[in-house]
Amino acid sequence: MALIFEPDRVAYDPDGCLLRLFATDGLMLVRCAVSKAALAALEDDALAGPEAMAETYRRNAEHIQEIANRKYRNHQWENGGLVVVRFEDVTNLQNARGQPGAAAASFQLPPHEVK
């Protein structure tokens, strides 16, 4: 079953530099997030702060949700069940589709985001 995302419910998590997403699988809440680095790989505007991250997510929600769904189905969870879309996930999807990333070529991951 595919996750159902609440498109307007996102929250910035400054501790993890993540944008938290709200999704459900039937009646079960599924904790999802997308990293700042992943958003910057899609659009370098995401580096401007939490509001810019949210706007980048909304413009690219289809791709981000596709990745989150795949990771959820494959049980690729982090930290107790959190599904996180990371930089590598976005660039791998872009490479598979032959799409260049907006900031992927020049973006450097901060040390705390390397997994």
Side-chain angles (χ1 to χ4, degrees), residues 39-56:
L39 291 167
L42 293 166
E43 297 179 7
D44 55 0
D45 293 349
L47 297 171
E51 286 299 318
M53 289 172 65
E55 284 303 314
T56 298

Side-chain angles (χ1 to χ4, degrees), residues 12 17 21 26 32-35 39 41 46-47 60 62 77 82 84-85 95 100-102 108-109:
Y12 180 66
C17 287
L21 314 174
C32 298
V34 58
S35 72
L39 291 167
L47 297 171
N60 296 277
E62 182 179 328
W77 302 308
L82 180 64
V84 182
V85 175
N95 290 338
Q108 296 292 319
L109 284 174

Side-chain angles (χ1 to χ4, degrees), residues 18-79:
L18 300 169
L19 192 64
R20 298 281 183 153
L21 314 174
F22 297 86
T24 56
D25 179 5
L27 296 175
M28 185 173 67
L29 177 65
V30 178
R31 298 179 321 130
C32 298
V34 58
S35 72
K36 185 175 186 177
L39 291 167
L42 293 166
E43 297 179 7
D44 55 0
D45 293 349
L47 297 171
E51 286 299 318
M53 289 172 65
E55 284 303 314
T56 298
Y57 165 70
R58 287 182 184 100
R59 284 191 295 269
N60 296 277
E62 182 179 328
H63 298 302
I64 294 166
Q65 291 172 8
E66 176 184 341
I67 294 167
N69 265 307
R70 179 181 41 80
K71 291 184 85 167
Y72 177 71
R73 283 191 314 271
N74 292 329
H75 305 280
Q76 293 176 303
W77 302 308
E78 298 179 21
N79 302 327

